[in-house]
Amino acid sequence: MCAKKSADPIIDEIRTLRAQLEQANYRYYVEDAPSIPDVEYDRLLRRLQELEAEHPEQVTPDSPTQRVGAPPAEGFPEVQHAVAMLSLDNAFDEQEVRAFARRVAERLETDEQGIRFCCEPKLDGLAVSLVYENGLLVQGATRGDGRTGEGITANLRTLKSIPLKLRGDHLPALLEVRGEVYMSHSGFEKLNDEARARGSKVFANPRNAAAGSLRQLDPGIAAARPLEFCAYQVARIDEAWLRPSHSALMQQLREFGFRASPEIDVVTGADGLVDFCESMGKRREQLDYDIDGAVLKVDDLRAQRELGFVSRAPRWAMAFKFPAQEQTTVIRDVTFQVGRTGRLTPVARLEPVQVAGVTVSNATLHNMDEIKRLDARINDTVIIRRAGDVIPQIVSVVLDARPEDTRAIEMPEQCPVCDSRVERLGDEVDARCSGGLFCPAQRKEALKHFASRRALDIDGLGTKLIDALVEREWVKTPADLFRLEAVKLAELPRMAQKSADNLVASLERSRHTTLARFIYALGITEVGEATANALVLHFGELQRIMDASRASLEAVADIGPIVAGHIHNFFAEAHNRETIEDLIRVGVDWEEVEVGEREQPLTGQTWVLTGTLETLTRDEAKARLVALGAKVSGSVSKKTHAVVAGEAAGSKLEKARQLGVEVMDEQALLALLNQHESAPSSENAS
Ligand code: 9MJ
C-alpha cells in the first residue's frame, strides 16, 4: 500500500489517499473483510475529490474517484476477442462426468485416478472479459457471440470488485481475465424492495437484474446496482507470468486483487469430480448467489494445451449442470388473483410440465408491465424457471414458436371476484380492486394474514377454513372470528365437535396478544414485523400510533416517507378505525408497553440466523430476538452483531468468520434469551 514519495506534498497526499482507498475497497469487496469504518472511507474519498478538483492535472483514470464516467456517445462499441470466449460442453449426470475424466485420461495416455482437476461453482451471471495493460484496466467487454462482444468498459469500471489497477509492484504488460458478473440474492432483494417502494418495475431474477444493469449506457446506473465480479480464467498473460496450473493462476489473480470463488477445490480422478458435484449441489441453497452447476477443469496447463479444443469448447473443461430448472411450455390462459391489499396479479395457467421433479401448472406474471416486457400472449410458448422454493417465473417467450391464434392478455376492468372497479393509480405498476374488505378475495387474504403465525397466531384456522367461513358470510371482519361459536362451527363439513372446540379455545388464547403482533396483523401495506415493532417501541401505545402525523411517523427508525404515508392513510380511513374498535370490543387485548425510546437490551443490534436450530424454529428465535429490540437480517455484513449458527450452517457462517463477526451456537443463544427475558429491565410495565 506504500505510495512513492515525490517532492510535492499535495501529490504525496493524493497518492497516499488513493492507496488507502484502494486497500479499503479490496478488503471490503474482494476479501469481504472491511478494514476501515464507512465514515472513514467517505472522509478519505471526499478529501481526494477535493484535492483532485483543485489539481485537475493530477486526475488519473485509475483514481478511485473515476469509477463513474460519462456515457458513451454512440452506444457500445464492438470488441473483437483476441482469444475466443468459448462455451463449455455440458454433463448432466454422474456417467457423463465419469466419461469426461475417461476421455481426458485416454488423450493424455495417463491413469485417470492421477489427474488433478480444479473444480469451481458455475456462476449464473454474465461472462465478461477484462484487459489490463501495464496493470491498468483498459477494456471490459461482454462475451457476445464468443468472437465479438460489446465494449462495456465504463459500466464494468463501476464494480468495486474489479480492480482499476492491479495490485503489486511487478505487473504483467498484458493480462486478460475472464469471469462472471452477477448479483447476490441479498443485493437483488434489496434492489427490488427499493423498486417496489418507489412503485417501479421489479426484476424477475438476479441474472436479469445483472444483465439489465450492464446494458445501460449511463454508467451511473450500473454504479448504483449491487453487481459483483468473480474471476475464473486467465485468457492472456505474459509468458513469464504463466503458472504450472489453473489453480495457481487463480491464486495469482487473487494476488492481483481479484475475487476468485472461495468454493474452488482441486480434486483427483473421476471420484473426486463426482464428490465435488454432489457437495456443490448440497451447498447450493446456502450460497447468497445463483449457481447452475459446477465447472470441472484439468488443472495442469500443459495438459490443457495438449488436450486443446473441439469446435467451440475446450476438451479440458466440462460444465456439470444441476437438473434443469427451466422448461418450455404453453400459456393456456391468464387469470387474475386478488391479494390482501386488492392488488391484481396476473397468473399464467400453463400446460403442466415437470421442472426439476415438480409439476408446474401456474407461473406468476407479476404485473402488466412485466407482460409487456416479455411480450407474452395467451397460447404463446414460454420458458419457465423454478429456482429453489420460489414461485415459478416466466423467463421469456419463444417468439419463433408463436402460433397464429394468440390473444392479448388484458387487465379486467372489474374485479374477477367482486366486480368492483379495477383502478391503476397514477404511474403505479399495480392495478387494484377498489372493493376493499367488501371484496371476498381481499377479505380472505386479510383474514389469513390476521390469523397467521407471526400475527395473531390462531392455531387451527387454516386457509380452507377461512375460505369456507367467508363464503358462508359467517365472517366478514377479523372481529367476527371471535364471535364464532363451537356449536355453529361444528356444522361445517369435515369439522368435528372436538376440532370446533379446539378452534374456539385457540381463538380465546390468541385474543391476548402483543401490540406489535396486533399492528402487524392489521395488514397495513408494507408494515411487516420489524416496522410494527419499531412503531411500538417508538410510540408505546396504539392511540398514539393511530394519531401520529406523517412527520412523526417518519421520525421512527427505518420508516421512510412511503411507509409513513401507508400507515397514515390506513388510520385515516374510518372503516379501519371501526375494525380496530370492534376487535377491542370483542376482547382482543395486549399488555401496555412502556412509552418512549427506552433501550431494549438488544436495541441497535443486527442478528443473523443460519442453519437448522434444534429446539427453536427460526421464526421463534427471530421473534424472541426482535422482542428484545434486535433486528434480524438474512445476510451477514460487517454491521452484523452476531450470527447464530445451527446444524449445517453454510456460507453465512463462513462469511461471519471472515468478517470477524461473533458466532454463537443455539445453547448460547438460549442462555442469552433466557437471561434478558427474565431480567426486570425487559419486563413490560403494566
Ligand atoms: C462460471 N460460469 O462460473 C468458466 N465459469 O471457464 C467458471 N465459467 C469457464 N469457469 C472457461 N467457473 C470457460 C468458461
Side-chain angles (χ1 to χ4, degrees):
M1 206 210 348
C2 65
K4 291 186 192 77
K5 277 265 175 224
S6 81
D8 185 337
I10 297 288
I11 296 179
D12 281 345
E13 188 179 354
I14 288 179
R15 283 187 185 156
T16 306
L17 284 165
R18 284 182 187 158
Q20 286 172 320
L21 286 161
E22 277 159 13
Q23 173 70 5
N25 265 345
Y26 175 75
R27 291 288 301 265
Y28 191 99
Y29 291 98
V30 178
E31 292 198 324
D32 263 348
S35 53
I36 57 171
D38 290 355
V39 283
E40 176 64 1
Y41 181 89
D42 294 342
R43 190 186 67 75
L44 296 173
L45 186 64
R46 260 198 316 275
R47 176 71 185 144
L48 179 59
Q49 282 165 335
E50 272 167 27
L51 290 178
E52 288 184 346
E54 285 164 20
H55 305 274
E57 75 288 351
Q58 295 300 332
V59 178
T60 57
D62 62 325
S63 170
T65 59
Q66 302 300 302
R67 285 200 176 260
V68 185
E74 295 169 28
F76 300 123
E78 269 193 5
V79 168
Q80 302 293 328
H81 296 299
V83 178
M85 288 184 81
L86 300 173
S87 47
L88 297 173
D89 274 341
N90 292 323
F92 294 97
D93 56 31
E94 182 179 334
Q95 268 68 43
E96 291 175 355
V97 169
R98 290 189 182 280
F100 164 62
R102 213 162 32 243
R103 276 197 309 277
V104 168
E106 279 165 12
R107 282 207 161 249
L108 296 176
E109 295 180 359
T110 181
D111 175 18
E112 184 185 303
Q113 295 308 327
I115 305 173
R116 288 161 62 85
F117 293 96
C118 183
C119 301
E120 308 166 1
K122 186 168 185 302
L123 299 168
D124 193 12
L126 288 104
V128 300
S129 135
L130 304 170
V131 178
Y132 289 81
E133 285 172 6
N134 299 315
L136 293 184
L137 174 65
V138 294
Q139 184 185 76
T142 62
R143 176 174 184 277
D145 64 4
R147 309 225 164 255
T148 312
E150 282 181 316
I152 52 163
T153 317
N155 282 342
L156 291 174
R157 285 174 60 89
T158 67
L159 274 68
K160 300 232 176 66
S161 45
I162 293 183
L164 297 178
K165 189 168 91 182
L166 301 181
R167 291 166 71 88
D169 292 333
H170 303 289
L171 296 170
L174 176 74
L175 170 70
E176 182 179 348
V177 175
R178 292 180 181 167
E180 206 85 351
V181 171
Y182 63 98
M183 202 178 276
S184 68
H185 293 161
S186 37
F188 169 73
E189 276 160 26
K190 189 154 169 278
L191 185 69
N192 268 357
D193 284 349
E194 287 162 2
R196 248 178 243 117
R198 277 197 314 273
S200 17
K201 265 198 282 197
V202 295
F203 289 105
N205 55 52
R207 191 176 187 285
N208 283 7
S213 308
L214 288 185
R215 228 183 284 117
Q216 305 289 328
L217 284 176
D218 176 4
I221 298 177
R225 302 271 168 87
L227 296 171
E228 298 183 43
F229 175 77
C230 181
Y232 56 62
Q233 201 194 359
V234 172
R236 290 184 291 159
I237 192 165
D238 300 351
E239 194 69 32
W241 284 87
L242 265 182
R243 298 282 175 267
S245 64
H246 172 72
S247 51
L249 272 179
M250 288 295 103
Q251 190 48 38
Q252 179 62 60
L253 287 184
R254 289 193 178 103
E255 284 160 27
F256 284 149
F258 293 95
R259 179 204 288 262
S261 172
E263 312 287 336
I264 291 184
D265 201 3
V266 177
V267 305
T268 48
D271 290 343
L273 292 178
V274 171
D275 287 351
F276 182 85
C277 293
E278 265 179 26
S279 111
M280 209 62 247
K282 288 194 191 121
R283 271 176 289 165
R284 180 186 198 184
E285 295 288 318
Q286 284 151 26
L287 298 176
D288 191 31
Y289 46 86
D290 281 343
I291 63 171
D292 57 355
V295 181
L296 317 171
K297 300 173 178 173
V298 172
D299 198 31
D300 185 83
L301 291 188
R302 243 185 327 175
Q304 281 195 6
R305 268 193 298 275
E306 203 177 322
L307 288 159
F309 301 85
V310 259
S311 64
R312 316 217 70 208
R315 281 203 193 89
W316 44 262
M318 176 64 78
F320 168 73
K321 293 294 251 326
F322 294 140
Q325 294 188 300
E326 289 189 357
Q327 268 293 357
T328 50
T329 184
V330 174
I331 301 182
R332 288 295 174 217
D333 195 10
V334 171
T335 56
F336 287 80
Q337 239 169 30
V338 187
R340 175 163 61 81
T341 57
R343 197 180 115 168
L344 264 69
T345 306
V347 179
R349 306 294 171 187
L350 306 167
E351 193 61 46
V353 64
Q354 287 278 320
V355 190
V358 172
T359 306
V360 174
S361 43
N362 300 315
T364 176
L365 280 159
H366 299 286
N367 52 48
M368 295 311 279
D369 281 5
E370 175 69 358
I371 292 173
K372 204 157 97 195
R373 186 185 72 77
L374 288 165
D375 183 21
R377 296 170 67 87
I378 293 166
N379 287 340
D380 259 336
T381 297
V382 288
I383 296 174
I384 60 160
R385 178 186 178 85
R386 200 190 133 252
D389 47 7
V390 300
I391 308 164
Q393 313 271 332
I394 294 187
V395 181
S396 59
V397 173
V398 186
L399 288 174
D400 289 347
R402 176 166 280 175
E404 301 234 315
D405 63 342
T406 60
R407 272 186 295 127
I409 300 164
E410 276 164 26
M411 175 62 69
E413 284 177 12
Q414 265 134 1
C415 170
V417 178
C418 74
D419 264 356
S420 299
R421 203 169 28 81
V422 167
E423 44 192 32
R424 194 166 168 170
L425 299 174
D427 48 5
E428 252 195 1
V429 176
D430 296 329
R432 289 176 200 280
C433 158
S434 59
L437 286 180
F438 165 76
C439 174
Q442 291 188 52
R443 207 180 293 153
K444 282 179 188 171
E445 294 308 313
L447 287 166
K448 284 172 199 168
H449 176 75
F450 185 81
S452 65
R453 212 146 36 89
R454 298 176 199 178
L456 257 68
D457 191 17
I458 307 176
D459 215 17
L461 187 61
T463 303
K464 293 234 162 59
L465 189 49
I466 291 177
D467 289 349
L469 293 170
V470 171
E471 275 151 28
R472 282 173 179 70
E473 300 201 353
W474 291 359
V475 172
K476 286 188 173 157
T477 70
D480 289 342
L481 291 169
F482 297 98
R483 299 190 184 97
L484 289 169
E485 287 169 7
V487 190
K488 180 106 176 162
L489 281 168
E491 285 173 23
L492 288 170
R494 287 190 290 280
M495 174 69 91
Q497 186 63 50
K498 177 129 182 63
S499 313
D501 290 341
N502 285 346
L503 178 58
V504 170
S506 79
L507 277 160
E508 186 50 42
R509 273 195 305 277
S510 298
R511 222 188 273 265
H512 311 293
T513 184
T514 66
L515 179 53
R517 277 177 177 268
F518 182 78
I519 289 171
Y520 172 65
L522 293 173
I524 306 166
T525 310
E526 290 201 35
V527 174
E529 281 171 295
T531 307
N533 270 307
L535 284 168
V536 174
L537 272 180
H538 190 91
F539 292 103
E541 56 182 279
L542 180 60
Q543 199 59 47
R544 292 188 58 209
I545 301 174
M546 289 170 66
D547 296 342
S549 65
R550 277 169 201 263
S552 54
L553 287 165
E554 273 186 60
V556 179
D558 285 342
I559 294 187
I562 292 173
V563 178
H566 288 311
I567 299 169
H568 192 261
N569 292 346
F570 181 90
F571 291 115
E573 291 281 343
H575 68 86
N576 288 332
R577 286 181 174 252
E578 279 160 26
T579 302
I580 292 170
E581 279 164 26
D582 203 15
L583 280 165
I584 294 171
R585 205 174 304 127
V586 295
V588 174
D589 62 13
W590 52 86
E591 281 183 44
E592 290 298 320
V593 185
E594 236 176 58
V595 184
E597 287 89 39
R598 183 178 57 83
E599 291 265 308
Q600 296 271 84
L602 309 185
T603 298
Q605 299 179 3
T606 303
W607 287 61
V608 173
L609 301 167
T610 182
T612 313
L613 302 180
E614 249 176 52
T615 60
L616 288 172
T617 65
R618 217 178 251 219
D619 285 343
E620 278 163 354
K622 180 173 173 184
R624 288 172 70 177
L625 284 166
V626 168
L628 292 172
K631 251 172 80 171
V632 176
S633 159
S635 57
V636 180
S637 78
K638 60 181 176 166
K639 298 207 176 112
T640 308
H641 176 80
V643 169
V644 180
E647 200 47 34
S651 61
K652 288 181 195 167
L653 173 59
E654 193 183 312
K655 187 154 181 192
R657 290 200 173 124
Q658 278 172 7
L659 295 178
V661 169
E662 183 186 348
V663 175
M664 63 169 71
D665 63 12
E666 186 171 357
Q667 288 311 315
L669 172 71
L670 285 169
L672 179 127
L673 291 172
N674 290 335
Q675 175 205 335
H676 287 306
E677 285 165 350
S678 58
S681 65
S682 67
E683 269 173 14
N684 292 328
S686 48

